[in-house]
Structures are given as structure tokens and as C-alpha cells.
Amino acid sequence: MASPSTSLSLQGSLPPYLKHMIRCFPPPPPTCTHPTCAIRAPSPPQRPSVERGTLESRRQILETFRYTRQIAQGWLEIHHVKDDKELEAAALLLAEPYSRAMHLSDGTMPVAAFVLKQDMAERRVLVPHVALLVGFYYKDRDGEEAELACTADISFDAIGAHPSPGTPRPPKEYPYIGNVAVKKTLRRKGIGSQLIKACEELIIQMKAERKVYLHCRVTDTGPLRLYEKTGYKVVKTDSILVWLRCKPRRYLMSKELPLNTDEKQSDASDCKHCPI
């Protein structure tokens, strides 16, 4: 498996995140409580909202999601983060590529892991508009010992979009796969491709938009081959000015997910009733 640091995006997200939440949930207008006041305060503007049933069904999908595949010399199970223990383990896994991307020394990895855990905990507030996936590697499917193998972050819509995903900027209303990482000792087992497929399967189950975006550094030829092999194509490239600012240039890549069998049958059924 190639380098896992192709899609890191949790960098300084707290201030923009707070601004985003304030815009989404503005405070109600002040009302006059004076007994002689006859002027009514203006009603707050009506905002479109997602139906509660839809949100609950999405949460249920995340809670029950399991992606299990046999890989080289073992098994891989990917699911949504269950608790703080798994969140901390994912942050530790991301700390190494994060530190390398930020040109930090190995001694700063514990600090990087702490920062990443805080950012990921803040992202969990936006569930089910986001998902934090973790994958565990089992040498024996029936064995009890498991090793954290990979992690990824998915935003399904504009509400869960990363506040600072970096450039080239993906459209917020479409799903975005970020913070992809595979444990160094478990690479070249096919875990990276299975992680991407798990993300895509979950996006389909969550009934999000089918056009998916992700980032890949221009210099990361291994991950680029992986993404191209799984169907992603470069749609935009960072300007040379990014490189002049001593930052790695990145590709913005995209893929249109295919319809599943049920959806194809539904579309065909609808088509039969369409006037010619």
C-alpha cells in the first residue's frame, strides 16, 4: 500500500467550523418584553431542514454498517467509529502522515495525535452528515486479536463538508473522502482499495450524491495509481503558486458511482410509464 497521507484535511478547522455552525443555526431575533410595546418582533426566517426520520435512518445505517472482506493472509472489517477508544486509535494512525505532511519531527507525533483527536471529535457532532470509518485486520476471521489497519473520513453533503479541505476545493454539496490512512506495516495487502470501496458502499447506502471527490498529492504516485485503478480521474490540479509557497501540490479527483441493481430496476420501471 502506498503512502496514506494523500487526503489529510483536518488542519485548523475549529474557527471556520464554529462560523459554519453559527450560520446554520442563527440565534432567534430579540423580542420586546415592555408591556406598552405593540410592535411584534419579526419572525425568524424559515429554513429548509432534513426530516427527522431521514436523519434517524442514516444514523441507523452508520451504526449497523459493516464491510468485511478477505484480503491477503487475513480479513478486514470496516465500520463507523464506535467510541472514544477507536477515535483515539484512528488519531494515532493519522498522526504519522499528518506530521510528515506538516514537516514536523517524530517527537511531535503525540501532540499531533491529540490535535487530530480533538478535530475528529468535533466532526462527530455532525453525524450523520459525516462518517469516521476505521478498519481492523484479523489474521484469523474467528480470532479475537484485531489490529487497527486503516481509517477514513467521509462528508456526505454541505452540512458535513470540511471547513478547510485545501485546494483545489471540492464542491461542498457532494461526498468527499478525506484523511485516508493505512498502517505502514499492513500496506500492500489491498487494504487501501478495500477502504475506498467501503467508503463508496456507505455513500450509496446513505443515498448521497453519486459524484465523489478526494485529493491526492501530485508527488504520491502510489496512491495516484490506486485511485485511478478504482475509477477516479483528475478534474483539477493545484496552481504552481502552491508549490512556490512550499506546500505540496494536489490533484482533485472525482468518480461517478454506478447505480446498484435495485435502482436500475426502479429506473427501468419508471421509464416504462414515461410518455414517448
Side-chain angles (χ1 to χ4, degrees):
M1 175 63 194
S3 169
S5 59
T6 60
S7 302
L8 290 174
S9 55
L10 290 174
Q11 298 179 12
S13 62
L14 182 55
Y17 164 74
L18 290 177
K19 293 178 182 178
H20 175 72
M21 293 297 292
I22 292 171
R23 286 197 302 269
C24 288
F25 304 100
T31 58
C32 181
T33 57
H34 195 280
T36 60
C37 181
I39 302 176
R40 290 187 178 182
S43 301
Q46 297 296 322
R47 291 176 46 84
S49 59
V50 180
E51 293 183 5
R52 181 175 179 82
T54 302
L55 292 178
E56 292 300 327
S57 64
R58 286 186 171 187
R59 289 191 180 93
Q60 184 65 26
I61 290 172
L62 290 179
E63 290 176 2
T64 59
F65 179 74
R66 293 291 183 279
Y67 182 92
T68 305
R69 292 293 186 276
Q70 185 175 9
I71 60 174
Q73 302 174 351
W75 291 83
L76 178 69
E77 181 187 289
I78 299 173
H79 59 255
H80 182 62
V81 166
K82 296 177 182 178
D83 49 38
D84 289 342
K85 186 177 180 180
E86 290 188 350
L87 190 71
E88 183 175 359
L92 286 171
L93 181 59
L94 279 168
E96 185 269 330
Y98 177 88
S99 298
R100 185 162 60 87
M102 299 294 291
H103 305 290
L104 302 175
S105 63
D106 293 341
T108 61
M109 284 184 58
V111 178
F114 175 80
V115 173
L116 286 166
K117 183 182 178 182
Q118 299 304 311
D119 286 338
M120 294 167 73
E122 291 163 6
R123 292 281 291 161
R124 288 180 73 187
V125 176
L126 297 176
V127 170
H129 302 283
V130 304
L132 305 175
L133 297 186
V134 288
F136 290 88
Y137 172 72
Y138 297 82
K139 290 184 178 179
D140 181 1
R141 190 175 186 181
D142 298 325
E144 296 182 358
E145 293 185 2
E147 184 178 3
L148 182 67
C150 58
T151 184
D153 177 303
I154 310 172
S155 58
F156 298 106
D157 49 37
I159 296 177
H162 285 276
S164 55
T167 58
R169 294 193 178 279
K172 292 184 177 182
E173 64 272 17
Y174 289 97
Y176 175 82
I177 301 174
N179 298 309
V180 178
V182 175
K183 190 172 183 178
K184 194 172 183 178
T185 56
L186 294 177
R187 295 174 194 169
R188 302 188 181 278
K189 293 180 179 291
I191 293 176
S193 59
Q194 293 299 331
L195 177 59
I196 296 299
K197 290 178 182 179
C199 292
E200 294 174 350
E201 183 173 311
L202 182 55
I203 288 169
I204 292 174
Q205 290 188 25
M206 296 290 279
K207 300 186 183 302
E209 296 286 347
R210 291 306 181 91
K211 198 168 188 178
V212 184
Y213 289 85
L214 54 78
H215 279 118
C216 179
R217 286 204 299 259
V218 173
T219 56
D220 288 340
T221 56
L224 179 60
R225 286 195 299 267
L226 167 66
Y227 295 142
E228 288 178 335
K229 186 177 180 180
T230 53
Y232 288 84
K233 296 181 180 180
V234 175
V235 295
K236 194 176 292 185
T237 306
D238 260 331
S239 166
I240 191 68
L241 296 177
V242 173
W243 180 77
L244 293 175
R245 293 197 297 267
C246 298
K247 293 183 178 181
R249 296 178 68 198
R250 300 195 299 176
Y251 294 124
L252 179 64
M253 307 183 73
S254 181
K255 175 183 178 179
E256 189 83 25
L257 299 183
L259 297 174
N260 57 34
T261 304
D262 294 338
E263 290 172 322
K264 288 180 180 178
Q265 292 176 351
S266 176
D267 286 349
S269 176
D270 292 342
C271 218
K272 292 178 182 179
H273 298 87
C274 293
I276 298 177

